[in-house]
């Protein structure tokens, strides 16, 4: 499964019909809250949760359980992102599925 961490302003999650991308109303509110918007955690072409980055950390909140392979792929993506000046690494955290 391909894993992506799409930024909050990504065209894919902002130009298509929200109800088509995320049929569940509760999950739609998690991805598109009033403010500030999170990024989209995508697995196999489907939005599978959200992520937020602050300082040297990134927290991924999946909507369902994900395999260790998917977790490893997401963490590899996050660790390969360019860092702001002064940051030395990104620490990836996971919350329980919502």
């Amino acid at each position: 499964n391909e894993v992506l961490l799409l930024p909050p302003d990504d065209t894919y999650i902002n130009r298509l019909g929200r109800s088509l991308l995320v049929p569940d109303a509760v999950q739609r509110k998690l991805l598109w809250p009033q403010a500030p918007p999170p990024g989209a955690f995508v697995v196999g072409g489907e939005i599978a949760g959200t992520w937020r980055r602050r300082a040297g950390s990134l927290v991924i909140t999946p909507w369902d359980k994900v395999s260790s392979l998917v977790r490893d792929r997401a963490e590899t993506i996050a660790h390969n992102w360019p860092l702001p000046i002064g940051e030395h690494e990104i620490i990836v955290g996971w919350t329980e599925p919502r």
Side-chain angles (χ1 to χ4, degrees):
N1 282 342
E2 182 179 19
V3 176
L4 301 169
L5 297 173
L6 300 178
D9 61 351
D10 188 86
T11 302
Y12 176 74
I13 61 175
N14 288 303
R15 293 270 173 110
L16 298 175
R18 292 179 176 184
S19 61
L20 291 174
L21 287 175
V22 182
D24 184 277
V26 172
Q27 292 173 340
R28 268 197 310 276
K29 286 184 180 183
L30 293 171
L31 184 60
W32 294 287
Q34 292 296 324
F41 171 54
V42 179
V43 179
E46 300 289 327
I47 297 175
T50 62
W51 66 269
R52 291 184 183 274
R53 183 173 173 185
R54 179 176 292 147
S57 67
L58 181 137
V59 177
I60 300 172
T61 303
W63 292 336
D64 292 306
K65 289 190 175 203
V66 295
S67 70
S68 59
L69 179 63
V70 167
R71 284 178 179 253
D72 289 346
R73 288 180 178 171
E75 290 178 18
T76 297
I77 291 167
H79 290 296
N80 286 311
W81 278 350
L83 296 170
I85 294 172
E87 288 185 23
H88 301 288
E89 72 173 299
I90 293 176
I91 298 169
V92 179
W94 294 82
T95 62
E96 291 297 314
R98 291 189 172 191

